[in-house]
Amino acid sequence: MKSVDNLTLADQVLMKFQEDIVRGDVAPGSKISESALATKYGVSRGPLREAISRLESRGLIERAPNVGARVVSLSYQELIELYQIRESLESLACRLAAENMTDEDIKHLKALLHEHKQDQNFKDGTAYYKQQGDLDFHYCIIYGSKNKKLIHLLCEELYHLILMYRHQFSNISKHPQKAFTHHQRIVEAIEERDGELAEILMRRHIQKSRTVVETYFENQNAQES
Amino acid sequence: MKSVDNLTLADQVLMKFQEDIVRGDVAPGSKISESALATKYGVSRGPLREAISRLESRGLIERAPNVGARVVSLSYQELIELYQIRESLESLACRLAAENMTDEDIKHLKALLHEHKQDQNFKDGTAYYKQQGDLDFHYCIIYGSKNKKLIHLLCEELYHLILMYRHQFSNISKHPQKAFTHHQRIVEAIEERDGELAEILMRRHIQKSRTVVETYFENQNAQES
DNA sequence: AATACGTGTTTTGTCGACAAAATAGCGTTT
DNA sequence: AAACGCTATTTTGTCGACAAAACACGTATT
């Protein structure tokens, strides 16, 4: 799917570094030394600066002129703001998907859902697969919208931030079966080409996961006090 | 408002170059020569490449590895897609603005509106003021949402693209008085802290301007055939 | 003892030069 | 005449080095 090795060094560093940030290997809020990272990834400072520059515009890094860059560290408030945006954009994507997905696409989506059902029946513990499955589902719908700019916004600019936080907080939904039911209903709506309903269902689905984040933080605050 | 001169060269070039693109001084689709631009703006290729890199992630420039960069040239379809996103995000911003604007903010917004009314009464011809006024209005509401990521997305990542096309097509609304009425009603809803209504009104307002774009393209196609 | 100042060091920003890839132009071949 | 391949030139990608700004630390002063 991804064309091979005619990638620039800056692009390779970008991907590696982004992965490291999302996985939490480099802590949020930690300062970034250009020369240190350059040697770490085995490149000069030129390509590295380009990678930093792009990660900055993706919101994963904050930079101040003449001072340096540091990995972003979202506050609770900012995370909620992020979810508001995601809610708006991904419900839009879902409506467009109901309108624009090909029958092939829908078949693929249903297969994905069926696969998750299997996985879940005898193994609804291990978080990794569920998370990956959830991701696949959402990506599939986003791409189904056929809106290139929207796909870029969600997949390249927003989702990495969300994933970074998911990883950091091990924020796996406590209600996998509920999430699965949501997914099922969304697919039904898409299958019936009911964009309006699909949009509403997706909005609620994400609202729900936002609520999970909110209660997580409330509990954390309660523990602290 | 903007802190002064501790800006990096790359930032200055970024602003100048972006302005040139949005104003249409450099034609959409035209190829970008790094060395040529570097000499034009009086900097080395380093900072210039950084500026290009950022403009790429803002969607104003497209770049292929080892080939070079060119100013983006949106198709009709892509422009419509852009408006869909704007519709979704800016209506969200409007709802949040109704919830989060301070009374001061609202006062400022009303003053803005009043100012436009004056301007419009005796001078509803000259497009520039109206366009600038329209911009001020929308920016004011976007900032009123108090959602930093949303503000960044709309003002830094999306609006420049839209402005570029507005300029290119001289796409000034043919119904300034209607737009003004829309603005008025939106402000009323915000004043009453009715987020739901404000959201709907903003959505319709932008839908309307999308329709203007659509009819423009239809007419153009009709002329061509 | 605390603050202010000055020096030395690190880090960022910028530049010019080199290497590799792509483009253009020419000649050859079918 | 058209298409293929080769060479020359331009353009992009990458690097190392220099300049300026920020930071750290020790000293002097009140």
Side-chain angles (χ1 to χ4, degrees):
Chain A
M1 185 167 285
K2 202 77 173 185
S3 59
V4 280
D5 47 6
N6 46 355
L7 286 167
T8 177
L9 265 184
D11 287 327
Q12 296 176 28
V13 169
L14 171 68
M15 291 193 298
K16 284 187 200 165
F17 189 27
Q18 179 169 269
E19 174 121 359
D20 287 350
I21 292 177
V22 172
R23 291 167 72 105
D25 292 354
V26 44
S30 62
K31 187 162 187 323
I32 292 169
S33 164
E34 290 184 1
S35 44
L37 270 195
T39 54
K40 175 178 175 183
Y41 292 112
V43 297
S44 155
R45 276 178 55 217
L48 186 104
R49 277 174 67 87
E50 199 172 318
I52 288 181
S53 185
R54 296 222 201 138
L55 287 176
E56 188 195 5
S57 60
R58 291 185 185 185
L60 288 171
I61 281 179
E62 285 172 335
R63 200 173 57 156
N66 293 323
V67 171
R70 46 184 61 242
V71 178
V72 75
S73 169
L74 285 187
S75 68
Y76 168 64
Q77 181 60 30
E78 285 169 320
L79 189 56
I80 295 300
E81 289 178 0
L82 197 59
Y83 265 87
Q84 288 176 332
I85 295 172
R86 187 188 162 203
E87 199 178 300
S88 178
L89 286 182
E90 217 170 322
S91 60
L92 167 63
C94 198
R95 175 164 62 81
L96 294 176
E99 296 169 0
N100 299 331
M101 267 182 145
T102 67
D103 293 342
E104 288 298 314
D105 291 337
I106 295 180
K107 218 162 97 181
H108 178 67
L109 183 61
K110 285 175 73 175
L112 204 65
L113 200 66
H114 188 69
E115 202 179 297
H116 296 170
K117 191 176 185 176
Q118 304 289 11
D119 267 8
Q120 201 162 20
N121 278 345
F122 47 83
K123 207 175 196 335
D124 79 346
T126 45
Y128 176 75
Y129 284 113
K130 226 183 315 144
Q131 179 155 344
Q132 189 55 46
D134 186 60
L135 265 185
D136 291 342
F137 177 80
H138 284 270
Y139 279 153
C140 189
I141 288 181
I142 291 169
Y143 277 93
S145 75
K146 314 284 186 188
N147 181 323
K148 274 190 289 186
K149 187 83 187 171
L150 182 58
I151 293 169
H152 177 78
L153 264 181
L154 279 170
C155 296
E156 306 295 320
E157 311 270 329
L158 251 48
Y159 249 81
H160 297 299
L161 255 180
I162 293 174
L163 287 180
M164 174 180 157
Y165 267 78
R166 270 207 200 177
H167 194 277
Q168 192 179 337
F169 299 138
S170 304
N171 171 32
I172 314 300
S173 165
K174 269 70 180 179
H175 307 286
Q177 67 285 357
K178 263 191 194 169
F180 180 77
T181 308
H182 288 173
H183 287 191
Q184 214 160 14
R185 294 213 179 119
I186 289 172
V187 171
E188 283 171 16
I190 290 177
E191 208 176 356
E192 294 168 15
R193 302 293 185 182
D194 189 340
E196 233 175 299
L197 180 60
E199 177 171 1
I200 293 173
L201 289 175
M202 180 59 88
R203 172 162 260 130
R204 282 202 201 158
H205 175 54
I206 296 175
Q207 271 173 353
K208 184 76 190 172
S209 69
R210 194 187 66 190
T211 309
V212 172
V213 174
E214 286 172 350
T215 54
Y216 173 87
F217 268 89
E218 281 167 19
N219 290 345
Q220 183 173 305
N221 285 351
Q223 284 180 3
E224 276 178 8
S225 64
Chain B
M1 185 168 285
K2 202 76 175 188
S3 58
V4 279
D5 48 5
N6 45 355
L7 286 168
T8 177
L9 264 186
D11 287 327
Q12 296 176 30
V13 170
L14 171 70
M15 291 193 298
K16 283 187 202 164
F17 189 27
Q18 179 168 268
E19 175 120 359
D20 286 350
I21 292 177
V22 172
R23 291 167 73 106
D25 292 354
V26 44
S30 61
K31 187 162 187 325
I32 292 168
S33 164
E34 290 184 358
S35 45
L37 270 195
T39 53
K40 174 178 175 183
Y41 292 114
V43 298
S44 157
R45 275 179 55 218
L48 185 104
R49 277 175 66 87
E50 199 171 318
I52 287 180
S53 186
R54 295 222 200 137
L55 288 176
E56 187 195 6
S57 60
R58 292 185 184 185
L60 288 172
I61 281 178
E62 284 173 334
R63 199 174 57 156
N66 293 322
V67 171
R70 41 190 353 122
V71 178
V72 76
S73 167
L74 285 186
S75 67
Y76 168 62
Q77 182 61 29
E78 285 169 321
L79 188 57
I80 295 300
E81 290 177 359
L82 196 61
Y83 265 87
Q84 288 175 331
I85 295 172
R86 187 188 162 202
E87 198 178 301
S88 180
L89 285 182
E90 217 171 320
S91 60
L92 167 64
C94 198
R95 176 165 62 81
L96 294 176
E99 297 168 1
N100 298 330
M101 268 181 143
T102 67
D103 292 342
E104 286 298 315
D105 292 337
I106 295 180
K107 217 161 99 183
H108 178 68
L109 182 63
K110 284 176 74 175
L112 204 64
L113 200 67
H114 187 69
E115 202 179 299
H116 296 170
K117 190 175 186 175
Q118 304 289 12
D119 267 8
Q120 202 162 20
N121 278 345
F122 47 82
K123 207 176 198 325
D124 80 347
T126 45
Y128 176 75
Y129 285 113
K130 224 182 317 142
Q131 179 154 345
Q132 190 55 46
D134 186 61
L135 265 184
D136 291 341
F137 177 79
H138 284 271
Y139 278 152
C140 189
I141 288 182
I142 291 169
Y143 277 93
S145 74
K146 313 284 186 186
N147 182 323
K148 274 191 289 187
K149 187 83 188 171
L150 183 58
I151 293 169
H152 177 79
L153 265 181
L154 279 169
C155 296
E156 306 295 320
E157 311 271 328
L158 251 48
Y159 248 82
H160 296 300
L161 255 180
I162 294 174
L163 286 181
M164 173 180 158
Y165 268 78
R166 271 208 200 177
H167 193 277
Q168 192 177 338
F169 299 138
S170 305
N171 171 31
I172 313 300
S173 167
K174 270 70 181 178
H175 306 287
Q177 67 285 358
K178 264 191 192 168
F180 180 77
T181 309
H182 289 172
H183 287 189
Q184 212 160 15
R185 294 213 178 117
I186 288 172
V187 171
E188 284 171 16
I190 290 176
E191 207 176 356
E192 294 167 16
R193 301 293 185 183
D194 189 341
E196 232 174 300
L197 180 60
E199 177 171 3
I200 292 173
L201 290 176
M202 180 59 88
R203 171 161 260 130
R204 282 201 200 159
H205 176 53
I206 296 174
Q207 271 174 354
K208 184 75 190 171
S209 70
R210 193 186 67 190
T211 308
V212 173
V213 174
E214 286 172 350
T215 54
Y216 173 86
F217 268 89
E218 281 166 19
N219 289 346
Q220 184 171 305
N221 285 351
Q223 284 180 1
E224 277 177 8
S225 64

